[in-house]
Amino acid sequence: MSAPLGAAKAETGGMVLERKHIMGLAGLAALAGAVALAAPHRSTTVSRKPQSVAHLKLAKLSLSDRHDVDYALLDARLKRMAAKPTMVGLAVGVIEHGRITFLSGYGETAAGSGERVTPETVFRWASCSKGLAATMVAKLAEQGKIDLNAPVARYSTSLHLPNYGEQSATVVDLLSHRLGLYRNAYDNKLEEGQDPNILRASLSQLNAVCAPGTCWDYQNVAYDASSEMVARATNKPYPDAVQSMLFDPIGMRSASVTRRGLESALSWARPHSVGRRLLEGSDNYYKVPAAGGINSNIKDFALWMIAQTGGMPDVLSPQLLATIHQPRVKTPSEQGRMRKFAERVRDPWYGLGWRSYDYAGHRIVGHRGGVTGYRSLILFDPVTKSGVVALWNSNTSQPGGLEFEVMDMLYHLPFRDWMELDKRGAAPEVAGTSDEVSSGSAG
């Protein structure tokens, strides 16, 4: 989710609790309230409501809706990818015109275990969680409980920015990474196990790189102020609010927002290094659930994509989707990261928790993610309601080209070996190659 911290870092000597400018007793009381809201990250038990009949239909694999993708070729190439020495397990889902047309698992949940990955195997979404958080905030905005154009300070989160920036930075600025902070501010401290609420308060001690709303730098610790907003607006812990407002209505029965939710699944993918070494799980990015805390199987990830393409207007209205997918800030650095796909990928933007691109003349929306031992991707065309999701449990980014192979099939474009399966000596991409993936762990 984040690249290694660069020279732009400007801390003021370690973690501090008090803000020199404003944090007297009243400020500490506000911080205490914000810290209290962190408890919602530990979900209470929620009863699951029955899925609507219409959504049950959408959850079923539809072979009759297969029109554009060569599924035999796709399956053969995914089998080759899963056999790579950097891979352990992989799950992939495809939708065409608003229906699930492909769900498949490859490899193992743990190297050498013999337990096969299936469409029911649960993985971590990592930074793809950001789109869900933005969706939650936008739903609450539709209900009049949050104003997207209001300053972040109105919602009494633990977030404090340099030069009182929380007084001018809007909710839109928060969700589109325009807070005036250097990239991935305090991710290193989060990965050391420090409290994200305290870290958000101490961001005020940094030097701003720009005024809020005027430049773009990817965030995790700061971004999770959105989960605090959701908890306050719903008077529920964030996992419970997500469950009742998104998971249950959409029918995402495997989805959860905690480490326990991952590890209690009947089938769950264990994290691995690029060398297939089993890694120890971490709670760090579950502590910032809006930035990187969602888990699910590939079927529920595909259902989420259907909802994002407009297939469930009773849950996500067309107006809401337009709001969150709207390109808001250019991200030219993304063009560099996507340079090996430059033949077709152009004009990268960021919206609210979502990236967008021009792909061979089509506007597509998506995101990638990575935490230690897991990677994820989602990419879709909102007009054709078609796209692809993938989850895998190792630190390699090599499968990242598979989404473009699927998009090429959907658009009937000439084949390109985007996964580089046929390229001799192709080195696998590893952690530290994108905003969504850091050298340690990232949401």
Side-chain angles (χ1 to χ4, degrees):
M1 201 157 113
S2 60
L5 296 176
K9 178 162 56 174
E11 300 175 18
T12 58
M15 182 178 65
V16 292
L17 292 181
E18 71 277 6
R19 186 179 188 190
K20 293 179 181 178
H21 302 304
I22 63 171
M23 293 194 69
L25 290 176
L28 287 174
L31 175 59
V35 172
L37 276 175
H41 296 174
R42 295 185 292 275
S43 178
T44 57
T45 301
V46 181
S47 60
R48 303 217 172 207
K49 297 178 181 178
Q51 193 177 354
S52 73
V53 173
H55 296 181
L56 281 171
K57 181 180 178 181
L58 291 174
K60 295 180 179 178
L61 186 67
S62 176
L63 301 183
S64 64
D65 286 287
R66 291 181 167 184
H67 301 296
D68 300 310
V69 173
D70 184 338
Y71 290 100
L73 175 60
L74 177 62
D75 181 62
R77 289 186 62 77
L78 292 175
K79 286 176 179 174
R80 289 179 62 192
M81 173 54 69
K84 290 284 184 181
T86 57
M87 295 294 293
V88 179
L90 169 69
V92 177
V94 176
I95 67 169
E96 286 194 47
H97 310 290
R99 294 299 303 273
I100 298 175
T101 49
F102 181 84
L103 293 171
S104 191
Y106 304 87
E108 299 176 303
T109 62
S113 69
E115 181 183 352
R116 308 306 297 175
V117 170
T118 75
E120 301 298 327
T121 300
V122 175
F123 293 76
R124 296 189 66 174
W125 285 19
S127 261
C128 291
S129 305
K130 289 184 172 69
L132 188 141
T135 301
M136 281 293 300
V137 173
K139 277 186 72 70
L140 292 168
E142 279 195 326
Q143 298 171 6
K145 295 178 180 178
I146 290 178
D147 182 349
L148 295 176
N149 296 311
V152 173
R154 176 182 295 184
Y155 299 101
S156 302
T157 72
S158 60
L159 179 64
H160 291 289
L161 298 172
N163 307 318
Y164 306 98
E166 70 277 7
Q167 303 290 335
S168 58
T170 66
V171 177
V172 164
D173 292 331
L174 170 67
L175 297 175
S176 59
H177 303 290
R178 293 182 291 177
L179 295 176
L181 300 169
Y182 65 80
R183 189 173 69 176
N184 302 100
Y186 282 164
D187 279 9
N188 57 331
K189 294 178 180 291
L190 178 69
E191 290 162 10
E192 291 168 0
Q194 296 186 31
D195 188 316
N197 297 280
I198 295 174
L199 293 178
R200 273 192 289 278
S202 62
L203 288 169
S204 64
Q205 304 300 314
L206 302 178
N207 292 326
V209 298
C210 69
T214 64
C215 66
W216 185 89
D217 278 296
Y218 197 85
Q219 302 299 322
N220 291 310
V221 173
Y223 193 94
D224 191 56
S226 57
S227 78
E228 295 181 283
M229 290 180 186
V230 170
R232 285 189 181 277
T234 61
N235 199 29
K236 291 181 179 180
Y238 182 74
D240 293 2
V242 168
Q243 186 78 54
S244 63
M245 294 178 66
L246 293 178
F247 293 164
D248 284 343
I250 292 173
M252 299 168 65
R253 297 182 179 276
S254 73
S256 62
V257 197
T258 63
R259 182 176 177 180
R260 182 179 180 277
L262 171 73
E263 296 179 357
S264 64
L266 291 178
S267 173
W268 66 281
R270 277 66 168 176
H272 294 77
S273 69
V274 173
R276 294 172 55 87
R277 177 173 57 86
L278 190 65
L279 301 174
E280 184 177 350
S282 170
D283 286 330
N284 293 334
Y285 283 87
Y286 285 118
K287 296 175 182 176
V288 287
I294 305 300
N295 319 301
S296 86
N297 62 31
I298 199 67
K299 181 174 73 173
D300 285 349
F301 205 12
L303 274 174
W304 171 244
M305 181 165 54
I306 289 175
Q308 287 292 325
T309 62
M312 300 184 187
D314 55 324
V315 182
L316 304 181
S317 71
Q319 295 80 10
L320 182 154
L321 295 174
T323 295
I324 60 178
H325 296 161
Q326 176 189 341
R328 294 175 185 271
V329 56
K330 280 184 174 289
T331 55
S333 62
E334 179 74 355
Q335 191 71 54
R337 184 173 74 86
M338 305 290 275
R339 60 187 175 275
K340 75 178 183 180
F341 312 114
E343 176 186 348
R344 291 180 181 149
V345 178
R346 299 179 180 86
D347 199 23
W349 290 72
Y350 206 92
L352 304 186
W354 291 97
R355 295 186 181 276
S356 62
Y357 313 89
D358 178 292
Y359 190 79
H362 304 269
R363 198 71 194 168
I364 56 175
V365 177
H367 216 285
R368 292 188 181 190
V371 292
T372 295
Y374 298 94
R375 297 291 181 264
S376 62
L377 64 85
I378 178 170
L379 191 68
F380 57 88
D381 183 328
V383 175
T384 65
K385 302 184 187 304
S386 302
V388 57
V389 285
L391 300 163
W392 61 100
N393 59 330
S394 70
N395 280 342
T396 180
S397 297
Q398 189 174 6
L402 75 86
E403 75 263 49
F404 298 118
E405 293 197 19
V406 172
M407 298 313 289
D408 285 352
M409 292 180 187
L410 289 168
Y411 294 138
H412 303 281
L413 296 172
F415 172 80
R416 295 289 184 271
D417 179 22
W418 296 128
M419 287 190 280
E420 299 185 336
L421 296 177
D422 302 313
K423 182 177 179 181
R424 291 185 178 181
E429 295 181 22
V430 297
T433 59
S434 78
D435 288 325
E436 287 88 11
V437 183
S438 80
S439 58
S441 178

